[in-house]
Amino acid sequence: MAKNPNNTEEPSAETLEETQARLKAGKGAPTPSRAQQEAARKRPLVPNDRKEAAKQARAKAAESRERARIGMAVGDERYLPARDRGPQKKYVRDYVDARFSIGEVLIPVMFAVILLTFVPSAQVQSIGILALWSFFLIAVIDVIVLGFILTKKLAAKFGADKVERVRWYAAMRALQLRPLRLPKPQVKRWNYPE
């Protein structure tokens, strides 16, 4: 047995049937001409059935909106608006959702004060308005303290030079009722992020 000078093995002989099977499996159809390829890509600018096309477009848009709504509700970064993106914003959301904020009950208190204004007694109405302003002041103090706490925690976690401005973001989230917050709360009460 003579050795090949290039140290390559000689190809094994292929039978006629194997060659035909290999060639047949490769392509199977002649190459389309350029005119055929362009004709296959052409689509009419205006569909034949405009009502059906509009119906399909509405269904596709509704499906896309629903997917975005669900993605935003669960906190998927792809669907969040720019103001909610990033690890620091997620930390703020989780921290605010884990604690009880006075501002969460601000809307029910306002509703109660509105009901008190229907009472014919001016003294009851005055007490209701005074209670509302007192409650509002306490809520403002609570979100100011929350802002300082979060700034300190973010500096410890992400570095003092990389802290974003999140006080307003935290305050707006803390003043909302928990079930109405978007993205939906991902943590349980008192389960603070690390």
Side-chain angles (χ1 to χ4, degrees):
M1 184 178 218
K3 286 197 170 192
N4 193 347
N6 296 335
N7 282 339
T8 57
E9 294 183 13
E10 293 181 18
S12 59
E14 193 172 56
T15 65
L16 180 62
E17 291 84 19
E18 290 173 343
T19 304
Q20 287 175 343
R22 182 174 52 82
L23 292 175
K24 192 175 193 180
K27 189 165 176 192
T31 304
S33 68
R34 183 174 181 165
Q36 289 172 331
Q37 289 177 341
E38 287 176 353
R41 283 195 303 261
K42 284 186 181 176
R43 290 179 298 228
L45 292 176
V46 179
N48 293 337
D49 187 3
R50 287 186 180 204
K51 286 185 180 180
E52 184 61 31
K55 184 177 178 183
Q56 288 175 352
R58 280 193 303 272
K60 194 173 185 179
E63 179 185 326
S64 174
R65 280 192 309 271
E66 182 64 16
R67 190 171 43 249
R69 185 189 66 78
I70 291 171
M72 183 177 173
V74 298
D76 188 351
E77 286 280 328
R78 293 175 295 173
Y79 299 107
L80 291 178
R83 70 179 172 92
D84 292 325
R85 288 190 187 143
Q88 292 188 29
K89 299 290 180 75
K90 179 166 180 25
Y91 184 88
V92 169
R93 284 194 306 268
D94 290 346
Y95 191 88
V96 170
D97 293 339
R99 76 190 287 265
F100 174 76
S101 300
I102 302 293
E104 289 181 45
V105 291
L106 190 60
I107 293 175
V109 167
M110 286 181 177
F111 185 71
V113 169
I114 289 171
L115 291 178
L116 285 177
T117 60
F118 291 115
V119 174
S121 171
Q123 186 179 9
V124 172
Q125 292 176 358
S126 298
I127 291 173
I129 296 293
L130 184 63
L132 174 66
W133 279 107
S134 303
F135 196 82
F136 184 73
L137 183 64
I138 293 170
V140 167
I141 292 169
D142 182 50
V143 296
I144 290 172
V145 170
L146 172 66
F148 283 116
I149 291 171
L150 278 171
T151 303
K152 190 174 170 185
K153 289 196 175 282
L154 289 174
K157 184 171 177 77
F158 296 102
D161 58 331
K162 299 194 187 254
V163 175
E164 295 178 17
R165 297 174 66 182
V166 295
R167 289 183 180 185
W168 185 256
Y169 181 74
M172 290 300 99
R173 191 159 179 93
L175 292 173
Q176 293 176 350
L177 288 169
R178 186 177 165 93
L180 300 180
R181 294 176 182 164
L182 275 178
K184 297 281 184 200
Q186 305 294 316
V187 296
K188 294 183 189 267
R189 289 264 195 218
W190 319 119
N191 194 8
Y192 291 98
E194 296 175 10

